[in-house]
Amino acid sequence: MDLDSPDTSRTGFGDLDVYLRWNKRMHHRLLMRSININVKVGVVAPTSPKRNINNPASLPFMGDEHMGLYFDFMPEIELKQDCYLGFILGLGVQERRMKKSRIPVGDEQFFYSALVGDLATHPGSTFKFSTYFTLSNFRTLS
């Protein structure tokens, strides 16, 4: 089956992330102290080490050879001095690609399958949404 040892140790760099970022800061608009808008568009290039299919304990770094594109929209509102409300909205898409993989037969796990072949892998897309609230510059009186 050509399997290596059940443990692995590896070092390396992750995928290369190249992006363009646009920022607009507005003071005293819409009854807010400030509004800070960030827009980020980027590409993730697959430069990290890939998963070794002959070692069941091997894990891929980051995208496992998949090129990716992403878009992030991050507005932050300063409601009053040192009181912020922010949002993170984003969409990330990874490309489909053919990769040599182990193909499970029956109920066996794909890590240990003897059958190896090219499979079309489509990681799909990721939507992210998050909110946060920050209170800063607190001081205690003694």
Side-chain angles (χ1 to χ4, degrees):
M1 288 180 36
D2 199 26
L3 292 176
D4 292 341
S5 65
D7 62 344
T8 186
S9 177
R10 180 187 249 175
T11 58
F13 292 102
D15 289 343
L16 180 64
D17 184 359
V18 179
Y19 63 88
L20 291 173
R21 185 174 185 157
W22 176 80
N23 176 278
K24 174 72 174 171
R25 187 169 184 94
M26 300 173 283
H27 295 283
H28 303 289
R29 297 275 171 95
L30 303 173
L31 300 177
M32 305 295 163
R33 187 172 171 92
S34 70
I35 299 173
N36 190 16
I37 298 173
N38 291 297
V39 176
K40 189 171 161 181
V41 177
V43 174
V44 178
T47 57
S48 63
K50 62 182 180 176
R51 182 184 176 308
N52 179 1
I53 66 168
N54 293 327
N55 189 336
S58 174
L59 295 174
F61 287 22
M62 299 193 63
D64 196 23
E65 295 185 87
H66 292 277
M67 184 84 140
L69 300 170
Y70 65 90
F71 172 80
D72 290 334
F73 176 68
M74 300 168 285
E76 184 179 66
I77 302 165
E78 186 177 6
L79 303 169
K80 51 194 267 185
Q81 186 173 357
D82 300 328
C83 180
Y84 298 92
L85 176 65
F87 301 93
I88 300 172
L89 296 160
L91 178 66
V93 179
Q94 288 183 306
E95 72 168 342
R96 179 180 185 214
R97 86 181 277 132
M98 297 291 288
K99 290 179 11 180
K100 187 173 288 278
S101 299
R102 293 194 175 272
I103 303 169
V105 178
D107 292 335
E108 70 182 349
Q109 295 181 3
F110 79 94
F111 291 113
Y112 305 108
S113 175
L115 184 60
V116 175
D118 289 333
L119 291 178
T121 307
H122 186 3
S125 56
T126 303
F127 176 74
K128 56 186 168 182
F129 173 75
S130 179
T131 60
Y132 63 91
F133 184 71
T134 305
L135 295 172
S136 58
N137 294 329
F138 276 107
R139 285 179 245 147
T140 58
L141 302 174
S142 30

